[in-house]
Amino acid sequence: MTYGSIGWVFGLLCSVTVAATAHADDASNDRVIAEKTAIIAADPTNAVAYELRGESYYMKRDKDRAFEDCNAAIRIDPNFGRAYNCRGRAYSAKGDRDHALADYNEAIRLDPGYGPSYTSRAQEYFNNGDLDLAIAGFTEAIERNPKHIYFATVMRGQAYAAKGDTDRAVADYNEAMRLNPAAASPYELRSNVRLNKGEFDAALDDCNNSVRLEPRSAGGHFCRAVVLLKRDDADGAIQEFDEVTRLDPTFMRAYSARALAWHKKGDDKRAVADFDEAIRLQPGNATGYKNRAMALRELGEHARALADYNEALRIDPKNQDTLVNRGLLYMMMSDPKHARADFNSVLALPPKDKWAVDTAREGLGFVK
């Protein structure tokens, strides 16, 4: 029986996703907050001031204060459509997608001419994985929200790409480049499509254009690193990942992907160190624990690997490839009882992961 390597779990790390919302600089938001705070102090019933301050708090990623202000605006004026869009975005930032969608729908009902609500709703559909609704929503946003045509076009391209409709995805990315020739993100996204098609040279050209347009942005370097890694240039990829983490020390996926490069070079100790940082940056991400467990398993540190698999399954109890890999680890630890239990758990779930299902069936043939 062949035990799994850590390499196959990294597909999602190679995707590039444009940020959901462009955040204005903090200084500008701070000015708006100060201005609206003064207005509210003089007139506590000013719903518009609350809504605008809430939007600025949202742009500063302060979802709790954004929610409080947007909710206050609605309490003062229950027919204020923009305030529902504002509160919906705060709900979305909190992960409460049902209430977010309800607010976006109410915003559109109350103020059908306010374009941003259409973009927000389409974004929520995308976040929920409702790709057909997202595509229809972004198309409507393009028609109704002229100020956000570029963003809606890029996002519709991502929805098409997620559906596997790469031709329409590329068409939208090309249109986004036309709409905003100075933007790097469409090149990174088109690179990902080309990379998945095995068009490595074209994918690298797109990454190079991204770096040319925004040399101080981590995204283009991450894009270039992923292509180099796919071309088995681990050293070149590591250099690019180093640049990513220098430009943006919080870029979690760069640490996870660089760990794979270290693994390809046979240096699983450094791979584990990068997984350590990825987990520190995003401790609630089950994939980080699963990936570190696989690297620790390669190093023969079975007890630590088991602890990581257990944590990954605590966060995501029905993840089939985590279950099957823990089963493989139990086999290596000469624990057939627990290995059998994990393999059977995989087979009891809907067969979403063919590799995990096939491996679990094969594993059951080796345990007594």
Side-chain angles (χ1 to χ4, degrees), residues 125-145:
Y125 287 138
F126 181 82
N127 291 341
N128 283 337
D130 298 327
L131 298 178
D132 289 330
L133 288 173
I135 289 166
F138 286 124
T139 300
E140 188 174 22
I142 288 167
E143 296 168 353
R144 291 180 174 269
N145 190 7

Side-chain angles (χ1 to χ4, degrees), residues 2-9 260 263 294 297-298 325 328 355:
T2 302
Y3 291 102
S5 164
I6 70 172
W8 68 273
V9 300
L260 176 58
H263 172 70
M294 297 177 83
R297 193 179 73 190
E298 297 278 331
N325 272 290
L328 295 174
W355 180 89

Side-chain angles (χ1 to χ4, degrees), residues 201-233:
D201 289 342
L204 189 58
D205 283 344
D206 275 346
C207 299
N208 290 338
N209 275 320
S210 172
V211 173
R212 174 180 59 80
L213 288 166
E214 297 182 18
R216 296 182 181 179
S217 170
H221 293 280
F222 182 79
C223 174
R224 196 151 62 184
V226 168
V227 176
L228 292 171
L229 192 55
K230 284 280 191 176
R231 294 176 72 169
D232 292 324
D233 182 358

Side-chain angles (χ1 to χ4, degrees), residues 3 297 302 327-335:
Y3 291 102
R297 193 179 73 190
H302 293 166
L328 295 174
L329 177 63
Y330 277 130
M331 286 182 66
M332 297 174 75
M333 297 173 72
S334 300
D335 186 345

Side-chain angles (χ1 to χ4, degrees), residues 253-273:
R253 287 184 300 155
Y255 295 99
S256 296
R258 188 171 64 187
L260 176 58
W262 288 122
H263 172 70
K264 283 180 175 287
K265 287 175 63 67
D267 193 339
D268 285 310
K269 287 186 177 180
R270 285 188 173 178
V272 168

Side-chain angles (χ1 to χ4, degrees), residues 42 53 65 69-70 75 85 92 97 101 141 144 156 175 203 205 211 230 258 287 297 307 336-337:
R53 190 174 71 174
R65 285 182 175 174
D69 273 358
C70 301
R75 190 168 57 248
N85 179 64
S92 182
R97 305 211 185 283
L101 277 172
R144 291 180 174 269
R156 188 175 67 179
E175 176 64 8
D205 283 344
V211 173
K230 284 280 191 176
R258 188 171 64 187
T287 302
R297 193 179 73 190
K337 176 183 175 182

Side-chain angles (χ1 to χ4, degrees), residues 157-224:
Q158 290 195 81
Y160 277 129
K163 280 196 70 175
D165 191 341
T166 56
D167 290 340
R168 284 179 172 165
V170 168
D172 272 348
Y173 299 150
N174 291 343
E175 176 64 8
M177 292 172 193
R178 187 191 69 79
L179 290 166
N180 189 355
S185 292
Y187 286 97
E188 296 166 22
L189 292 162
R190 190 175 68 179
S191 170
N192 192 51
V193 173
R194 290 173 163 177
L195 183 61
N196 289 334
K197 289 183 173 181
E199 300 171 359
F200 294 156
D201 289 342
L204 189 58
D205 283 344
D206 275 346
C207 299
N208 290 338
N209 275 320
S210 172
V211 173
R212 174 180 59 80
L213 288 166
E214 297 182 18
R216 296 182 181 179
S217 170
H221 293 280
F222 182 79
C223 174
R224 196 151 62 184

